[in-house]
Amino acid sequence: VILPTGKTVDLTRGQQTSSGPNLNLRTTDNSTYNIPLPTYGHPNLDKNAAGLIYKGDALDLFIGAQGMGGAVSMVQLELDYRRQVNTGMILFNDYNAALDFAMEVRSSLRGDKELYRTNPQENNLGLLSLEFFDGNALKYGTLPKGNSFPTNATAAIEYEIFKGDDSTFENLVNLLERYDSSVIDSMQGDQDVIDFRKSIPDNVNSVTRRAGVHKVGTDLSVPNDQVKQIHVLYQQAMAEFTSYCGERETPATAMWGHGPWHVHLNFIPTNQRELGKAMELYTDLLQMAIRLGGSPSGEHGLAKKYVTVNNKRVSPLEHFIGQEGLKQTAATYAPINPGLRFCHGNLGTLYIR
């Protein structure tokens, strides 16, 4: 990593660590920086990309730090054995049934990464991924020529399983049998499913691009026991935005993502008025997710994103960790990023000069 001071550090996980209040960061020329570490806590979430998440290793200051620590100039990775994957999609006529199925499958068939690393040909490795789609997202997808979905499809689940992992597939089918009354169709064919999945954001973005605006997508993450509550709030926000937009050729919202814990609700405006309403609803959802013990960003980070609350422009990060958290983060990076000149503005308005 090239630090903003011009010095460089060469980091390997486990070599520069600290569980105390400070970390002595050694550079390649054997000089050191005394780094005060933040003490604010983070909620226990499967996904969280908001704020500095230090877990005891110097690498934590740079991975997912959105450039605050410096510029990564080289990365060495260890690759796992590559095994072929089967992909499928299951369609439901009941949104809540799809949600329940996704929650049950994720908890009982979660992938075993450590087992895969030690024995990649093992059977019963669990699911590789699980994606949740609402009915509007399905309407934005491009199906293979001659194919169509039932018009009453209100949700879908996409899954990935290693080819040859018959045990995991059998367990998936057994779980699905309890939801037979809500399952209305399925889509097989690995490339067809992959192409359909990729077409959804492409087609959404084409709508907003033609209108000269941009979509507003959530990246919220909540604790496991708040998943159903956040989906209720999503449904309410989607209904409000759809009503606000009135009659349209394409749906005003669409939701998809790693499901059901971390889905992205996308507001799809077609003019500046709708864009303003979308930002208003996004801000409301962000604040509600934090009140539920969640994070304003599950995977994409916040960087220079701002929202308006009570006529004041603030960073979602400030809502999440507070001004004290921002001050601690600033103090952590101050020794290696003097004046926070590198990636200026990533800590909100409090640190914009």
Side-chain angles (χ1 to χ4, degrees):
V1 179
I2 303 171
L3 303 179
T5 60
K7 292 184 180 291
T8 61
V9 290
D10 189 357
L11 299 170
T12 300
R13 188 164 292 282
Q15 289 189 358
Q16 296 201 48
T17 62
S18 174
S19 58
N22 294 78
L23 167 75
N24 288 318
L25 181 68
R26 296 187 305 276
T27 66
T28 52
D29 65 359
N30 287 321
S31 58
T32 61
Y33 290 98
N34 186 261
I35 309 292
L37 298 172
T39 58
Y40 63 83
H42 281 275
N44 183 21
L45 301 170
D46 288 345
K47 284 188 170 187
N48 178 23
L52 171 59
I53 305 173
Y54 181 79
K55 297 181 178 180
D57 196 293
L59 270 172
D60 300 332
L61 300 176
F62 302 95
I63 295 178
Q66 302 179 140
M68 289 294 295
V72 178
S73 59
M74 186 179 74
V75 177
Q76 183 176 344
L77 302 174
E78 179 182 344
L79 300 179
D80 284 333
Y81 172 85
R82 183 183 180 187
R83 183 170 167 181
Q84 296 299 307
V85 173
N86 279 330
T87 305
M89 182 175 282
I90 307 162
L91 278 74
F92 293 77
N93 63 7
D94 185 323
Y95 181 98
N96 289 320
L99 187 61
D100 289 341
F101 173 71
M103 294 175 69
E104 186 174 2
V105 166
R106 189 177 183 277
S107 62
S108 60
L109 295 179
R110 193 162 188 168
D112 192 331
K113 294 179 182 178
E114 291 306 315
L115 179 60
Y116 177 68
R117 289 192 180 108
T118 56
N119 190 358
Q121 295 294 349
E122 180 68 37
N123 207 359
N124 200 24
L125 285 168
L127 290 175
L128 298 175
S129 69
L130 195 70
E131 290 258 339
F132 185 92
F133 305 84
D134 77 345
N136 283 350
L138 298 178
K139 293 174 184 176
Y140 273 104
T142 302
L143 286 164
K145 193 172 182 179
N147 290 30
S148 62
F149 280 158
T151 56
N152 61 335
T154 59
I157 303 295
E158 179 193 354
Y159 62 86
E160 288 186 325
I161 297 174
F162 282 126
K163 287 187 177 180
D165 191 348
D166 299 329
S167 180
T168 296
F169 184 73
E170 183 179 338
N171 290 333
L172 179 70
V173 171
N174 289 338
L175 285 173
L176 190 60
E177 286 179 353
R178 296 208 288 273
Y179 297 86
D180 265 355
S181 61
S182 302
V183 176
I184 53 175
D185 204 350
S186 65
M187 183 179 181
Q188 304 299 322
D190 299 336
Q191 197 57 51
D192 286 346
V193 176
I194 292 170
D195 290 344
F196 176 78
R197 166 67 179 86
K198 289 181 177 178
S199 73
I200 294 173
D202 288 345
N203 291 336
V204 166
N205 289 334
S206 70
V207 170
T208 55
R209 194 162 45 241
R210 288 195 301 269
V213 291
H214 59 83
K215 68 178 175 66
V216 177
T218 67
D219 184 30
L220 311 176
S221 177
V222 296
N224 297 347
D225 60 356
Q226 298 295 338
V227 171
K228 286 203 167 184
Q229 179 60 32
I230 198 67
H231 274 263
V232 169
L233 297 173
Y234 286 158
Q235 292 286 335
Q236 293 171 352
M238 288 190 290
E240 182 175 345
F241 188 67
T242 298
S243 175
Y244 182 85
C245 293
E247 288 287 331
R248 283 179 41 170
E249 293 182 5
T250 54
T253 65
M255 184 163 60
W256 67 85
H258 303 130
W261 273 254
H262 180 234
V263 294
H264 304 288
L265 166 53
N266 294 276
F267 299 101
I268 310 166
T270 56
N271 54 53
Q272 289 295 327
R273 183 180 67 89
E274 293 175 358
L275 178 59
K277 181 65 174 179
M279 285 302 303
E280 175 189 317
L281 291 170
Y282 164 81
T283 303
D284 290 343
L285 287 170
L286 183 147
Q287 293 179 93
M288 286 187 276
I290 293 174
R291 285 198 290 269
L292 291 174
S295 167
S297 177
E299 63 184 7
H300 295 301
L302 295 167
K304 295 174 176 62
K305 180 175 284 187
Y306 293 91
V307 295
T308 301
V309 180
N310 297 326
N311 296 318
K312 180 183 177 183
R313 186 169 174 263
V314 296
S315 165
L317 187 60
E318 184 175 333
H319 275 291
F320 186 47
I321 63 175
Q323 287 200 2
E324 179 59 31
L326 291 179
K327 290 176 181 177
Q328 290 184 26
T329 305
T332 295
Y333 286 111
I336 57 176
N337 186 2
L340 300 180
R341 292 188 297 270
F342 202 72
C343 290
H344 186 60
N346 281 13
L347 284 182
T349 53
L350 191 65
Y351 290 95
I352 288 182
R353 294 177 175 82

PDB file of all heavy atoms in Angstrom, residues 47-73:
ATOM      1  N   LYS A  47     -23.366  -8.741   6.940  1.00  0.00           N
ATOM      2  CA  LYS A  47     -22.749  -7.817   5.987  1.00  0.00           C
ATOM      3  C   LYS A  47     -22.749  -6.409   6.553  1.00  0.00           C
ATOM      4  O   LYS A  47     -23.783  -5.938   7.030  1.00  0.00           O
ATOM      5  CB  LYS A  47     -23.501  -7.823   4.645  1.00  0.00           C
ATOM      6  CG  LYS A  47     -23.240  -9.032   3.773  1.00  0.00           C
ATOM      7  CD  LYS A  47     -23.875  -8.817   2.413  1.00  0.00           C
ATOM      8  CE  LYS A  47     -23.441  -9.881   1.432  1.00  0.00           C
ATOM      9  NZ  LYS A  47     -23.926  -9.573   0.072  1.00  0.00           N
ATOM     10  N   ASN A  48     -21.598  -5.762   6.479  1.00  0.00           N
ATOM     11  CA  ASN A  48     -21.499  -4.371   6.910  1.00  0.00           C
ATOM     12  C   ASN A  48     -20.265  -3.755   6.270  1.00  0.00           C
ATOM     13  O   ASN A  48     -19.152  -4.234   6.465  1.00  0.00           O
ATOM     14  CB  ASN A  48     -21.398  -4.270   8.431  1.00  0.00           C
ATOM     15  CG  ASN A  48     -21.256  -2.839   8.905  1.00  0.00           C
ATOM     16  OD1 ASN A  48     -21.639  -1.897   8.205  1.00  0.00           O
ATOM     17  ND2 ASN A  48     -20.701  -2.655  10.089  1.00  0.00           N
ATOM     18  N   ALA A  49     -20.465  -2.708   5.480  1.00  0.00           N
ATOM     19  CA  ALA A  49     -19.347  -2.022   4.825  1.00  0.00           C
ATOM     20  C   ALA A  49     -19.332  -0.541   5.181  1.00  0.00           C
ATOM     21  O   ALA A  49     -18.829   0.275   4.420  1.00  0.00           O
ATOM     22  CB  ALA A  49     -19.447  -2.194   3.306  1.00  0.00           C
ATOM     23  N   ALA A  50     -19.885  -0.203   6.346  1.00  0.00           N
ATOM     24  CA  ALA A  50     -19.965   1.201   6.766  1.00  0.00           C
ATOM     25  C   ALA A  50     -19.013   1.443   7.922  1.00  0.00           C
ATOM     26  O   ALA A  50     -19.101   0.796   8.963  1.00  0.00           O
ATOM     27  CB  ALA A  50     -21.396   1.550   7.184  1.00  0.00           C
ATOM     28  N   GLY A  51     -18.106   2.373   7.733  1.00  0.00           N
ATOM     29  CA  GLY A  51     -17.180   2.715   8.805  1.00  0.00           C
ATOM     30  C   GLY A  51     -15.981   1.783   8.850  1.00  0.00           C
ATOM     31  O   GLY A  51     -15.895   0.794   8.118  1.00  0.00           O
ATOM     32  N   LEU A  52     -15.050   2.108   9.730  1.00  0.00           N
ATOM     33  CA  LEU A  52     -13.844   1.308   9.905  1.00  0.00           C
ATOM     34  C   LEU A  52     -14.155   0.118  10.809  1.00  0.00           C
ATOM     35  O   LEU A  52     -14.612   0.291  11.938  1.00  0.00           O
ATOM     36  CB  LEU A  52     -12.733   2.161  10.522  1.00  0.00           C
ATOM     37  CG  LEU A  52     -11.461   1.442  10.968  1.00  0.00           C
ATOM     38  CD1 LEU A  52     -10.812   0.711   9.797  1.00  0.00           C
ATOM     39  CD2 LEU A  52     -10.488   2.429  11.592  1.00  0.00           C
ATOM     40  N   ILE A  53     -13.915  -1.078  10.309  1.00  0.00           N
ATOM     41  CA  ILE A  53     -14.177  -2.294  11.074  1.00  0.00           C
ATOM     42  C   ILE A  53     -12.835  -2.958  11.361  1.00  0.00           C
ATOM     43  O   ILE A  53     -12.308  -3.746  10.562  1.00  0.00           O
ATOM     44  CB  ILE A  53     -15.116  -3.248  10.308  1.00  0.00           C
ATOM     45  CG1 ILE A  53     -16.399  -2.507   9.926  1.00  0.00           C
ATOM     46  CG2 ILE A  53     -15.443  -4.478  11.149  1.00  0.00           C
ATOM     47  CD1 ILE A  53     -17.327  -3.283   9.019  1.00  0.00           C
ATOM     48  N   TYR A  54     -12.252  -2.596  12.491  1.00  0.00           N
ATOM     49  CA  TYR A  54     -10.935  -3.121  12.862  1.00  0.00           C
ATOM     50  C   TYR A  54     -11.105  -4.367  13.723  1.00  0.00           C
ATOM     51  O   TYR A  54     -11.775  -4.344  14.755  1.00  0.00           O
ATOM     52  CB  TYR A  54     -10.128  -2.063  13.622  1.00  0.00           C
ATOM     53  CG  TYR A  54      -8.747  -2.543  14.014  1.00  0.00           C
ATOM     54  CD1 TYR A  54      -7.715  -2.572  13.079  1.00  0.00           C
ATOM     55  CD2 TYR A  54      -8.483  -2.985  15.309  1.00  0.00           C
ATOM     56  CE1 TYR A  54      -6.449  -3.023  13.422  1.00  0.00           C
ATOM     57  CE2 TYR A  54      -7.232  -3.442  15.659  1.00  0.00           C
ATOM     58  CZ  TYR A  54      -6.216  -3.464  14.714  1.00  0.00           C
ATOM     59  OH  TYR A  54      -4.975  -3.923  15.058  1.00  0.00           O
ATOM     60  N   LYS A  55     -10.487  -5.464  13.288  1.00  0.00           N
ATOM     61  CA  LYS A  55     -10.617  -6.734  13.997  1.00  0.00           C
ATOM     62  C   LYS A  55      -9.281  -7.243  14.530  1.00  0.00           C
ATOM     63  O   LYS A  55      -9.138  -8.427  14.820  1.00  0.00           O
ATOM     64  CB  LYS A  55     -11.251  -7.779  13.083  1.00  0.00           C
ATOM     65  CG  LYS A  55     -12.672  -7.435  12.647  1.00  0.00           C
ATOM     66  CD  LYS A  55     -13.266  -8.513  11.770  1.00  0.00           C
ATOM     67  CE  LYS A  55     -14.697  -8.176  11.379  1.00  0.00           C
ATOM     68  NZ  LYS A  55     -15.307  -9.222  10.509  1.00  0.00           N
ATOM     69  N   GLY A  56      -8.301  -6.342  14.610  1.00  0.00           N
ATOM     70  CA  GLY A  56      -7.044  -6.731  15.217  1.00  0.00           C
ATOM     71  C   GLY A  56      -5.859  -6.820  14.289  1.00  0.00           C
ATOM     72  O   GLY A  56      -4.732  -7.045  14.727  1.00  0.00           O
ATOM     73  N   ASP A  57      -6.078  -6.639  12.980  1.00  0.00           N
ATOM     74  CA  ASP A  57      -4.996  -6.775  12.002  1.00  0.00           C
ATOM     75  C   ASP A  57      -4.836  -5.470  11.220  1.00  0.00           C
ATOM     76  O   ASP A  57      -5.823  -4.821  10.868  1.00  0.00           O
ATOM     77  CB  ASP A  57      -5.308  -7.922  11.029  1.00  0.00           C
ATOM     78  CG  ASP A  57      -4.102  -8.382  10.250  1.00  0.00           C
ATOM     79  OD1 ASP A  57      -3.588  -7.599   9.418  1.00  0.00           O
ATOM     80  OD2 ASP A  57      -3.658  -9.524  10.456  1.00  0.00           O
ATOM     81  N   ALA A  58      -3.581  -5.102  10.934  1.00  0.00           N
ATOM     82  CA  ALA A  58      -3.321  -3.858  10.199  1.00  0.00           C
ATOM     83  C   ALA A  58      -4.018  -3.837   8.844  1.00  0.00           C
ATOM     84  O   ALA A  58      -4.384  -2.762   8.346  1.00  0.00           O
ATOM     85  CB  ALA A  58      -1.820  -3.667  10.013  1.00  0.00           C
ATOM     86  N   LEU A  59      -4.219  -5.003   8.250  1.00  0.00           N
ATOM     87  CA  LEU A  59      -4.913  -5.048   6.958  1.00  0.00           C
ATOM     88  C   LEU A  59      -6.312  -4.456   7.040  1.00  0.00           C
ATOM     89  O   LEU A  59      -6.836  -3.940   6.049  1.00  0.00           O
ATOM     90  CB  LEU A  59      -4.991  -6.499   6.463  1.00  0.00           C
ATOM     91  CG  LEU A  59      -3.846  -7.011   5.594  1.00  0.00           C
ATOM     92  CD1 LEU A  59      -3.982  -8.502   5.351  1.00  0.00           C
ATOM     93  CD2 LEU A  59      -3.787  -6.268   4.275  1.00  0.00           C
ATOM     94  N   ASP A  60      -6.912  -4.540   8.222  1.00  0.00           N
ATOM     95  CA  ASP A  60      -8.274  -4.027   8.387  1.00  0.00           C
ATOM     96  C   ASP A  60      -8.363  -2.517   8.174  1.00  0.00           C
ATOM     97  O   ASP A  60      -9.443  -1.989   7.917  1.00  0.00           O
ATOM     98  CB  ASP A  60      -8.801  -4.354   9.792  1.00  0.00           C
ATOM     99  CG  ASP A  60      -8.848  -5.856  10.071  1.00  0.00           C
ATOM    100  OD1 ASP A  60      -8.997  -6.616   9.108  1.00  0.00           O
ATOM    101  OD2 ASP A  60      -8.712  -6.239  11.241  1.00  0.00           O
ATOM    102  N   LEU A  61      -7.225  -1.823   8.294  1.00  0.00           N
ATOM    103  CA  LEU A  61      -7.216  -0.379   8.072  1.00  0.00           C
ATOM    104  C   LEU A  61      -7.311  -0.015   6.591  1.00  0.00           C
ATOM    105  O   LEU A  61      -7.578   1.133   6.254  1.00  0.00           O
ATOM    106  CB  LEU A  61      -5.942   0.243   8.649  1.00  0.00           C
ATOM    107  CG  LEU A  61      -5.703   0.083  10.153  1.00  0.00           C
ATOM    108  CD1 LEU A  61      -4.341   0.668  10.515  1.00  0.00           C
ATOM    109  CD2 LEU A  61      -6.808   0.745  10.951  1.00  0.00           C
ATOM    110  N   PHE A  62      -7.079  -1.000   5.723  1.00  0.00           N
ATOM    111  CA  PHE A  62      -6.984  -0.703   4.291  1.00  0.00           C
ATOM    112  C   PHE A  62      -8.037  -1.432   3.457  1.00  0.00           C
ATOM    113  O   PHE A  62      -8.496  -0.890   2.447  1.00  0.00           O
ATOM    114  CB  PHE A  62      -5.581  -1.068   3.786  1.00  0.00           C
ATOM    115  CG  PHE A  62      -4.491  -0.338   4.511  1.00  0.00           C
ATOM    116  CD1 PHE A  62      -3.847  -0.898   5.587  1.00  0.00           C
ATOM    117  CD2 PHE A  62      -4.142   0.950   4.135  1.00  0.00           C
ATOM    118  CE1 PHE A  62      -2.849  -0.214   6.273  1.00  0.00           C
ATOM    119  CE2 PHE A  62      -3.149   1.655   4.805  1.00  0.00           C
ATOM    120  CZ  PHE A  62      -2.501   1.074   5.886  1.00  0.00           C
ATOM    121  N   ILE A  63      -8.421  -2.636   3.842  1.00  0.00           N
ATOM    122  CA  ILE A  63      -9.425  -3.384   3.080  1.00  0.00           C
ATOM    123  C   ILE A  63     -10.810  -2.842   3.418  1.00  0.00           C
ATOM    124  O   ILE A  63     -11.215  -2.805   4.582  1.00  0.00           O
ATOM    125  CB  ILE A  63      -9.342  -4.890   3.383  1.00  0.00           C
ATOM    126  CG1 ILE A  63      -8.003  -5.442   2.892  1.00  0.00           C
ATOM    127  CG2 ILE A  63     -10.496  -5.633   2.727  1.00  0.00           C
ATOM    128  CD1 ILE A  63      -7.796  -6.911   3.194  1.00  0.00           C
ATOM    129  N   GLY A  64     -11.532  -2.399   2.406  1.00  0.00           N
ATOM    130  CA  GLY A  64     -12.854  -1.827   2.626  1.00  0.00           C
ATOM    131  C   GLY A  64     -12.838  -0.447   3.232  1.00  0.00           C
ATOM    132  O   GLY A  64     -13.860   0.043   3.716  1.00  0.00           O
ATOM    133  N   ALA A  65     -11.679   0.211   3.220  1.00  0.00           N
ATOM    134  CA  ALA A  65     -11.555   1.536   3.848  1.00  0.00           C
ATOM    135  C   ALA A  65     -11.802   2.670   2.863  1.00  0.00           C
ATOM    136  O   ALA A  65     -11.645   3.833   3.216  1.00  0.00           O
ATOM    137  CB  ALA A  65     -10.173   1.686   4.478  1.00  0.00           C
ATOM    138  N   GLN A  66     -12.164   2.337   1.610  1.00  0.00           N
ATOM    139  CA  GLN A  66     -12.513   3.336   0.604  1.00  0.00           C
ATOM    140  C   GLN A  66     -11.400   4.349   0.376  1.00  0.00           C
ATOM    141  O   GLN A  66     -11.647   5.532   0.175  1.00  0.00           O
ATOM    142  CB  GLN A  66     -13.827   4.029   0.970  1.00  0.00           C
ATOM    143  CG  GLN A  66     -14.974   3.052   1.119  1.00  0.00           C
ATOM    144  CD  GLN A  66     -16.288   3.669   1.510  1.00  0.00           C
ATOM    145  OE1 GLN A  66     -17.315   3.273   1.004  1.00  0.00           O
ATOM    146  NE2 GLN A  66     -16.275   4.635   2.402  1.00  0.00           N
ATOM    147  N   GLY A  67     -10.149   3.862   0.475  1.00  0.00           N
ATOM    148  CA  GLY A  67      -9.013   4.695   0.145  1.00  0.00           C
ATOM    149  C   GLY A  67      -8.500   5.587   1.242  1.00  0.00           C
ATOM    150  O   GLY A  67      -7.520   6.310   1.044  1.00  0.00           O
ATOM    151  N   MET A  68      -9.128   5.553   2.408  1.00  0.00           N
ATOM    152  CA  MET A  68      -8.709   6.471   3.481  1.00  0.00           C
ATOM    153  C   MET A  68      -7.269   6.216   3.925  1.00  0.00           C
ATOM    154  O   MET A  68      -6.567   7.132   4.322  1.00  0.00           O
ATOM    155  CB  MET A  68      -9.641   6.315   4.682  1.00  0.00           C
ATOM    156  CG  MET A  68     -11.044   6.862   4.466  1.00  0.00           C
ATOM    157  SD  MET A  68     -11.074   8.652   4.266  1.00  0.00           S
ATOM    158  CE  MET A  68     -10.514   9.166   5.873  1.00  0.00           C
ATOM    159  N   GLY A  69      -6.808   4.961   3.860  1.00  0.00           N
ATOM    160  CA  GLY A  69      -5.472   4.640   4.333  1.00  0.00           C
ATOM    161  C   GLY A  69      -4.388   4.788   3.299  1.00  0.00           C
ATOM    162  O   GLY A  69      -3.210   4.916   3.638  1.00  0.00           O
ATOM    163  N   GLY A  70      -4.749   4.740   2.024  1.00  0.00           N
ATOM    164  CA  GLY A  70      -3.761   4.844   0.973  1.00  0.00           C
ATOM    165  C   GLY A  70      -4.209   4.129  -0.282  1.00  0.00           C
ATOM    166  O   GLY A  70      -5.346   3.657  -0.382  1.00  0.00           O
ATOM    167  N   ALA A  71      -3.291   4.039  -1.241  1.00  0.00           N
ATOM    168  CA  ALA A  71      -3.591   3.419  -2.531  1.00  0.00           C
ATOM    169  C   ALA A  71      -2.983   2.016  -2.568  1.00  0.00           C
ATOM    170  O   ALA A  71      -1.773   1.847  -2.377  1.00  0.00           O
ATOM    171  CB  ALA A  71      -3.035   4.261  -3.675  1.00  0.00           C
ATOM    172  N   VAL A  72      -3.827   1.025  -2.802  1.00  0.00           N
ATOM    173  CA  VAL A  72      -3.341  -0.352  -2.909  1.00  0.00           C
ATOM    174  C   VAL A  72      -2.655  -0.518  -4.259  1.00  0.00           C
ATOM    175  O   VAL A  72      -3.261  -0.323  -5.309  1.00  0.00           O
ATOM    176  CB  VAL A  72      -4.503  -1.347  -2.762  1.00  0.00           C
ATOM    177  CG1 VAL A  72      -3.997  -2.779  -2.935  1.00  0.00           C
ATOM    178  CG2 VAL A  72      -5.181  -1.181  -1.411  1.00  0.00           C
ATOM    179  N   SER A  73      -1.371  -0.868  -4.229  1.00  0.00           N
ATOM    180  CA  SER A  73      -0.597  -0.970  -5.473  1.00  0.00           C
ATOM    181  C   SER A  73      -0.393  -2.403  -5.938  1.00  0.00           C
ATOM    182  O   SER A  73      -0.130  -2.645  -7.112  1.00  0.00           O
ATOM    183  CB  SER A  73       0.774  -0.297  -5.295  1.00  0.00           C
ATOM    184  OG  SER A  73       1.490  -0.903  -4.235  1.00  0.00           O
TER     185      SER A  73
END
